[in-house]
């Protein structure tokens, strides 16, 4: 990836279009939003694979970022993230979900990359 400076931040060209990154919401994605998005979507993708391997395919997985705590005293460092997964599927066994959550965190490269720096809390609910 190559990033070029713009009036309000930086941009990079991707195969899906231009990604604009800025410290201000009105001019693009903020860096911390991309960090949180990477952690959330990586977790969701891993969860999808784990559920498939356990023969409990999800019809849908929704991820809500319930909290992002940033420390204003240390460069607005991201210290805590709470992700809430809503998993829809007729074959999802509630009793196996703690193991699904454990395997999801263990196999998500983004979670593993920040696990000693950011407290990541993951909760879930299963709907039919």
């Amino acid at each position: 990836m190559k990033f070029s400076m713009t009036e309000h931040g930086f941009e990079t060209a991707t195969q899906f279009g231009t990604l604009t990154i800025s410290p201000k919401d009105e001019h693009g994605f903020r860096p911390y939003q991309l960090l949180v998005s990477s952690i959330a979507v990586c977790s969701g993708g891993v969860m999808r694979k784990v559920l498939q391997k356990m023969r409990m395919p999800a019809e849908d997985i929704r991820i809500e970022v319930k909290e992002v705590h940033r420390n204003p005293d240390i460069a607005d460092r991201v210290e805590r993230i709470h992700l809430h997964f809503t998993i829809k599927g007729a074959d999802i066994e509630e009793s196996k979900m703690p193991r699904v959550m454990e395997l999801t965190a263990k196999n998500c490269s983004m979670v593993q990359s920040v696990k000693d720096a950011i407290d990541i809390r993951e909760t879930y609910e299963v709907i039919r």
Side-chain angles (χ1 to χ4, degrees):
M1 295 177 90
K2 293 181 181 181
F3 295 89
S4 299
M5 189 171 75
T6 66
E7 181 180 355
H8 299 288
F10 288 84
E11 290 183 343
T12 187
T14 73
Q15 67 188 48
F16 304 106
T18 301
L19 175 62
T20 304
I21 305 163
S22 173
K24 297 189 181 253
D25 285 328
E26 61 268 18
H27 298 295
F29 291 100
R30 295 180 66 195
Y32 89 90
Q33 292 171 323
L34 294 171
L35 173 71
V36 173
S37 297
S38 295
I39 293 166
V41 174
C42 176
S43 295
V46 171
M47 177 182 284
R48 182 180 192 170
K49 287 181 185 178
V50 168
L51 288 167
Q52 287 173 341
K53 285 184 179 185
M54 294 177 82
R55 294 187 172 91
M56 300 187 301
E59 294 169 34
D60 191 23
I61 298 173
R62 302 284 170 128
I63 309 163
E64 179 182 356
V65 179
K66 292 234 180 210
E67 175 194 19
V68 177
H69 178 267
R70 299 175 71 194
N71 186 335
D73 297 328
I74 308 175
D76 270 339
R77 171 190 152 125
V78 175
E79 293 187 339
R80 187 171 54 249
I81 300 170
H82 176 189
L83 303 176
H84 183 76
F85 299 86
T86 302
I87 304 107
K88 181 178 180 183
D91 297 327
I92 307 293
E93 293 179 44
E94 190 82 37
S95 64
K96 293 184 180 179
M97 283 306 298
R99 180 70 176 148
V100 170
M101 298 303 290
E102 178 185 328
L103 289 169
T104 296
K106 179 181 175 184
N107 291 290
C108 171
S109 61
M110 296 294 100
V111 169
Q112 291 301 308
S113 294
V114 301
K115 71 179 181 180
D116 296 326
I118 299 174
D119 177 26
I120 301 174
R121 180 173 177 229
E122 298 168 319
T123 57
Y124 68 90
E125 64 183 298
V126 176
I127 59 174
R128 307 273 175 227

